[in-house]
Amino acid sequence: QKEVEQDPGPLSVPEGAIVSLNCTYSNSAFQYFMWYRQYSRKGPELLMYTYSSGNKEDGRFTAQVDKSSKYISLFIRDSQPSDSATYLCAMSGGSGGGADGLTFGKGTHLIIQP
Amino acid sequence: SAVISQKPSRDICQRGTSLTIQCQVDSQVTMMFWYRQQPGQSLTLIATANQGSEATYESGFVIDKFPISRPNLTFSTLTVSNMSPEDSSIYLCSVGAGFTYTEAFFGQGTRLTVV
């Protein structure tokens, strides 16, 4: 079992829909949870960062972390064609925080249909 | 945030040769990381490079194959040595930011094809 599981998709939804992306993980030491967006032929771009369990909202994006279930989610409201990209979950933990690097999911390829 | 420039952006190399990838950051950073992104796979950490110390390699990656330099707080190089087609991948430089270095920023990547 990989440390972080993420459905690679593709996930195709119509413009304006609410998108739900998620990851599960097995390492209970993870404390920091991130979502990255990666456009084709570009490096990953940090979208959301959450520490421990709870919700965090930033504009159209909401990140949720449920450490008891080892499950994290990213919701995108009022999705736009420009949101079409690959979304990567990432996490780290322990006393080193991110100093030991991040563990990534495979990424979900999201397509927003105009 | 940090602006990270990687060179080259892409290259096609012959097997058995080596390629050095450069990573330049627009500010001084303590933690730099090198990742590999193979098709259909997760970003995988190759090594952590801190200025003034030897790079720390993850399981499955060795210094002879992926030597890393970190001469100052704004620059690092990763060399892919004695390349084979299995080394074809995207290589990404990253810097850790924030108090816990968890807010990572990435370069645009180097797309390497070995023929």
Side-chain angles (χ1 to χ4, degrees), chain B residues 42-80:
Chain B
S42 313
L43 265 79
T44 302
L45 181 65
I46 297 172
T48 302
N50 295 335
Q51 195 269 335
S53 63
E54 296 289 323
T56 304
Y57 289 83
E58 296 299 301
S59 175
F61 298 97
V62 295
I63 187 171
D64 289 347
K65 177 67 175 176
F66 298 101
I68 288 171
S69 77
R70 182 78 201 274
N72 57 53
L73 291 173
T74 62
F75 189 78
S76 178
T77 66
L78 169 76
T79 298
V80 186

Side-chain angles (χ1 to χ4, degrees), chain A:
Chain A
Q1 180 190 12
K2 291 191 180 296
E3 277 201 292
V4 180
E5 299 279 359
Q6 184 177 11
D7 186 339
L11 174 63
S12 183
V13 301
E15 182 176 357
I18 296 174
V19 176
S20 174
L21 305 168
N22 54 73
C23 291
T24 59
Y25 62 95
S26 58
N27 188 345
S28 58
F30 288 141
Q31 301 269 18
Y32 305 91
F33 304 91
M34 281 70 67
W35 285 94
Y36 286 83
R37 178 174 63 195
Q38 187 174 24
Y39 292 112
S40 180
R41 301 185 181 276
K42 299 289 187 183
E45 169 195 11
L46 180 63
L47 270 181
M48 300 286 287
Y49 162 80
T50 309
Y51 172 70
S52 194
S53 286
N55 295 358
K56 187 173 184 178
E57 186 174 322
D58 184 2
R60 297 186 295 112
F61 298 91
T62 299
Q64 287 186 351
V65 175
D66 182 350
K67 289 188 66 180
S68 63
S69 301
K70 296 189 177 68
Y71 187 90
I72 71 170
S73 300
L74 177 71
F75 298 94
I76 307 174
R77 292 183 299 280
D78 187 25
S79 56
Q80 305 294 313
S82 58
D83 294 328
S84 298
T86 297
Y87 289 79
L88 307 164
C89 64
M91 42 200 83
S92 67
S95 58
D100 298 327
L102 305 181
T103 301
F104 283 84
K106 287 187 177 182
T108 298
H109 181 45
L110 174 65
I111 301 168
I112 307 298
Q113 302 167 333

